Amino acid sequence: MRSAQQILAEANVIAVVGASRDPLKPAHTVPRQMLRHGWRIIPVNPFVDEVFGVKTVPTLADIDEPVDLVDVFRPAREAVDVVRQAIAIKAPAVWLQSGIVSAEARRLAEEAGIDYVEDRCLAVERAVGSLTKLA
């Protein structure tokens, strides 16, 4: 199992489930920060056409390229289903944002052999590690 820092350092494409258009929500500011630091972000939201100028997809299954990390901004009760979807698209890692914890989602991820982080903020981990994808 890779550490949170290793997952971020090795990821290039991040699918963000629950990405928000609301600039006041972490589900907007966190992926936007990752975008500004050079990660490719694919917002997953069935209710809007775009987030921070990037076209959204309704579900993980609608992504037509490999994803290095699935970042989750949905309630804990939805985490199990998101992990199942991440396993189905062969994502190597799932990250549940701060405040999101699910023992069942963790169990599914571990059984599938994918890296799993929960209750941690992607942007905080990026900043702590001084990580960037910019040259």
Side-chain angles (χ1 to χ4, degrees), residues 80-114:
V80 172
D81 187 49
V82 175
V83 169
R84 283 189 180 113
Q85 292 174 43
I87 292 166
I89 66 163
K90 298 181 177 20
V94 173
W95 188 301
L96 275 56
Q97 282 295 140
S98 298
I100 308 171
V101 176
S102 171
E104 179 67 7
R106 175 181 287 280
R107 184 187 64 74
L108 285 172
E110 288 174 352
E111 286 177 1
I114 65 175

Side-chain angles (χ1 to χ4, degrees), residues 61-89:
D62 295 305
I63 298 173
D64 59 1
E65 65 182 280
V67 168
D68 301 311
L69 173 61
V70 173
D71 184 32
V72 183
F73 281 97
R74 300 299 305 146
R77 68 184 176 275
E78 295 179 26
V80 172
D81 187 49
V82 175
V83 169
R84 283 189 180 113
Q85 292 174 43
I87 292 166
I89 66 163

Side-chain angles (χ1 to χ4, degrees), residues 17-19 43-49 56-59 62 74:
V17 178
V44 180
N45 184 325
F47 304 110
V48 297
D49 293 330
T56 61
V57 295
T59 69
D62 295 305
R74 300 299 305 146

Side-chain angles (χ1 to χ4, degrees), residues 11-13 32-41 126 131-135:
N12 291 306
V13 179
R32 185 166 185 110
Q33 182 185 135
M34 301 307 288
L35 190 65
R36 280 196 303 259
H37 284 276
W39 278 266
R40 183 149 180 281
I41 301 297
R126 188 218 57 78
L131 298 171
T132 186
K133 294 294 176 172
L134 302 174

